[in-house]
Amino acid sequence: MEREKPETEPTAGRVEWAVVPSDIGPLLLAATDRGLVSVAFHADERGRERALGRLAGAFGGALVESASGRLAGPIRQVGAYFDGSLRRFDVKLDWSLVTGFNRQVLRELAGTVPYGTVVGYGELARRVGQPTAAQAVGAAMGSNPLPLVVPCHRVVESDGGIGGFGGGLETKRRLLALEGVLPEPLF
């Protein structure tokens, strides 16, 4: 019987990737045999090359462009999210690019902050038993390899401010508007 590698250890197997259009610009989705492992915003040529370089460094295996197989479900669900018919992603996730506290925070976020709601950085820190770790929660959001699917755009400042976002503040505003948390921009 072959020993299964722990989920924290990236495998050297094939990583499939595809760039898909969205209302916030092109997204690069990547999956391993364990599940969706990466979502990258702004996947124009330069952004795509950066994302693929990070994946190659993490996995060391072959990167294969493919919009079928492993990525068919995630691509379909991303489209449904943006057309308003999907409120909860239901795809298998590969958590191997995130460990420790960051993984704990991201799993809590994914499991407890539904579509159309927000949570403060401090509140999320309290939920994982680290009430003084609001800044560390912010760092976890900034290193989230699965944004959109693990909805770091739903984490905001306790004083009502929008907070930061690795995909850019305009992207965060648009995602929160799509979910009805913020009003749609007038222009």
Side-chain angles (χ1 to χ4, degrees), residues 137-171:
V137 167
M141 297 305 105
S143 66
N144 180 4
L146 294 159
L148 189 65
V149 178
V150 177
C152 52
H153 61 278
R154 296 180 189 152
V155 183
V156 297
E157 295 174 348
S158 59
D159 66 1
I162 194 168
F165 192 61
L169 292 180
E170 183 56 29
T171 299

Side-chain angles (χ1 to χ4, degrees), residues 37-40 94-98 106 140-147 150:
V37 72
S38 178
V39 176
D94 177 342
W95 292 93
S96 64
L97 293 178
V98 61
L106 292 173
M141 297 305 105
S143 66
N144 180 4
L146 294 159
V150 177

Side-chain angles (χ1 to χ4, degrees), residues 95 98-109 121-141 143:
W95 292 93
V98 61
T99 60
F101 178 79
N102 289 3
R103 181 185 288 193
Q104 181 184 8
V105 169
L106 292 173
R107 283 185 180 259
E108 178 69 20
L109 171 65
Y121 294 96
E123 173 59 24
L124 196 50
R126 280 188 288 286
R127 289 182 186 183
V128 298
Q130 300 291 327
T132 61
Q135 286 186 314
V137 167
M141 297 305 105
S143 66

Side-chain angles (χ1 to χ4, degrees), residues 31-186:
T32 66
D33 59 348
R34 293 181 181 158
L36 187 66
V37 72
S38 178
V39 176
F41 294 116
H42 314 297
D44 56 14
E45 186 176 340
R46 210 166 118 215
R48 181 178 63 240
E49 293 307 314
R50 268 194 314 271
L52 292 174
R54 283 192 300 270
L55 288 167
F59 289 95
L63 301 177
V64 179
E65 185 174 9
S66 172
S68 62
R70 299 175 184 168
L71 289 171
I75 289 170
R76 194 171 32 259
Q77 287 192 31
V78 165
Y81 172 81
F82 282 106
D83 75 18
S85 64
L86 180 87
R87 293 183 176 245
R88 179 170 166 72
F89 285 93
D90 182 25
V91 296
K92 187 176 170 188
L93 299 177
D94 177 342
W95 292 93
S96 64
L97 293 178
V98 61
T99 60
F101 178 79
N102 289 3
R103 181 185 288 193
Q104 181 184 8
V105 169
L106 292 173
R107 283 185 180 259
E108 178 69 20
L109 171 65
T112 66
V113 184
Y115 184 99
T117 66
V118 294
V119 65
Y121 294 96
E123 173 59 24
L124 196 50
R126 280 188 288 286
R127 289 182 186 183
V128 298
Q130 300 291 327
T132 61
Q135 286 186 314
V137 167
M141 297 305 105
S143 66
N144 180 4
L146 294 159
L148 189 65
V149 178
V150 177
C152 52
H153 61 278
R154 296 180 189 152
V155 183
V156 297
E157 295 174 348
S158 59
D159 66 1
I162 194 168
F165 192 61
L169 292 180
E170 183 56 29
T171 299
K172 185 171 186 173
R173 282 187 194 95
R174 291 181 70 190
L175 292 171
L176 291 173
L178 172 72
E179 295 187 12
V181 175
L182 293 177
E184 290 287 341
L186 296 175

